[in-house]
Amino acid sequence: MRRSEIAEKLKGFYFFRHIEEERLQRIIEISSIAEYKRGSVLFYEGEEAKSLVVLLEGMLQIYKTDRKGNRIILHHFVPTAMIAEIVNLEHMKYPATGEFESDGKALLINYEIFEKEFLKDPEISLSFIKSLSKKIKYLENVIATNMVMNSTARVAKFICEHTNELAHLKKSMIAADLNMTPETLSRILKKLATLGLIEKSSDSIKIIDKEGLETYYL
């Protein structure tokens, strides 16, 4: 990926949108591009963070592992996204694992230099706060979805909130996100399709009646 391509991606990302061209080029100078194959781990739970990570290509799954070795899916990230910036800001270890579900690329920014040269910028500090607020909302959503709602409500909510990502998500991935078996997900999707709320095929889900889906969880 060329510098100009990286710059264009960053310009379109809210975190860097306001930065002047010269400063943006400096960020690229202190960064490297890493390529990952599907199944590659970007970082492990408990690992120390050295880089500020921006997902440029691919889909990244964030999960924790329970005592029995089961994965608890927290979130999926698609480009362009800042990943786990709290660990950099607080100088802490990663609280979860990040694994690629497809081939992907990430921009790894040298955080030590970034902190010295950029964090004093009020606009960037505000972007950090906004980004962290989004992560808190993700976590709140995981807690609410898994502890309060029944299975049908969880599926309906997921479909409505991931409209733009449905084309990239396999049913097995959705089931894992919702901590249910693929068989349970299939039964619920069949019910929603029978009710005329969605249209489903072997590899896609299309919303037909969003308001009808929302009645299950609002």
Side-chain angles (χ1 to χ4, degrees):
M1 185 176 283
R2 293 175 297 180
R3 271 194 171 199
S4 58
E5 293 176 315
I6 298 171
E8 285 305 310
K9 277 187 175 287
L10 295 185
K11 286 177 184 176
F13 181 41
Y14 76 91
F15 198 96
F16 298 109
R17 193 171 294 155
H18 69 284
I19 296 180
E20 297 175 358
E21 183 67 29
E22 184 178 341
R23 301 263 288 164
L24 190 63
Q25 290 302 320
R26 175 56 179 159
I27 289 176
I28 296 173
E29 284 178 7
I30 63 174
S31 306
S32 62
I33 295 287
E35 298 188 10
Y36 299 87
K37 294 293 184 182
R38 179 182 177 184
S40 297
V41 173
L42 178 60
F43 51 79
Y44 288 96
E45 182 176 350
E47 182 181 338
E48 292 185 0
K50 297 180 180 178
S51 302
L52 185 61
V53 181
V54 180
L55 180 65
L56 298 176
E57 294 181 9
M59 181 176 291
L60 187 73
Q61 178 189 96
I62 306 296
Y63 67 88
K64 291 183 72 68
T65 305
D66 65 19
R67 294 180 181 179
K68 295 181 180 180
N70 300 312
R71 289 188 181 186
I72 301 172
I73 310 299
L74 301 178
H75 194 63
H76 279 103
F77 284 100
V78 294
T80 303
M82 187 75 73
I83 309 297
E85 63 276 22
I86 185 64
V87 299
N88 300 107
L89 196 62
E90 295 294 330
H91 299 282
M92 57 187 281
K93 296 180 179 180
Y94 285 107
T97 298
E99 181 179 311
F100 277 90
E101 293 191 311
S102 66
D103 292 351
K105 293 180 182 179
L107 184 71
L108 307 180
I109 304 171
N110 184 312
Y111 185 72
E112 185 177 354
I113 299 175
F114 181 86
E115 186 176 41
K116 291 178 181 177
E117 296 187 14
F118 291 90
L119 270 193
K120 292 180 181 178
D121 183 331
E123 291 283 355
I124 291 182
S125 296
L126 181 59
S127 293
F128 255 104
I129 293 171
K130 289 180 178 178
S131 188
L132 291 173
S133 295
K134 288 186 177 182
K135 301 302 191 303
I136 291 172
K137 290 179 181 178
Y138 294 154
L139 183 57
E140 289 176 341
N141 187 57
V142 170
I143 293 171
T145 300
N146 287 284
M147 296 185 68
V148 178
M149 298 179 184
N150 62 36
S151 297
T152 301
R154 285 156 58 194
V155 173
K157 186 172 188 290
F158 185 94
I159 292 173
C160 288
E161 293 184 347
H162 295 80
T163 306
N164 296 329
E165 301 166 39
L166 289 176
H168 307 287
L169 294 173
K170 295 181 179 179
K171 292 186 178 69
S172 58
M173 296 163 61
I174 297 174
D177 266 13
L178 296 173
N179 294 308
M180 63 177 60
T181 65
E183 293 76 17
T184 298
L185 175 63
S186 293
R187 286 196 298 271
I188 294 171
L189 291 176
K190 183 178 180 180
K191 179 176 74 173
L192 296 177
T194 300
L195 292 171
L197 302 177
I198 65 169
E199 183 179 284
K200 74 180 186 72
S201 63
S202 59
D203 59 356
S204 68
I205 300 170
K206 180 181 178 181
I207 296 176
I208 303 299
D209 183 355
K210 187 173 183 180
E211 289 185 1
L213 285 174
E214 290 175 342
T215 61
Y216 280 93
Y217 62 90
L218 291 180

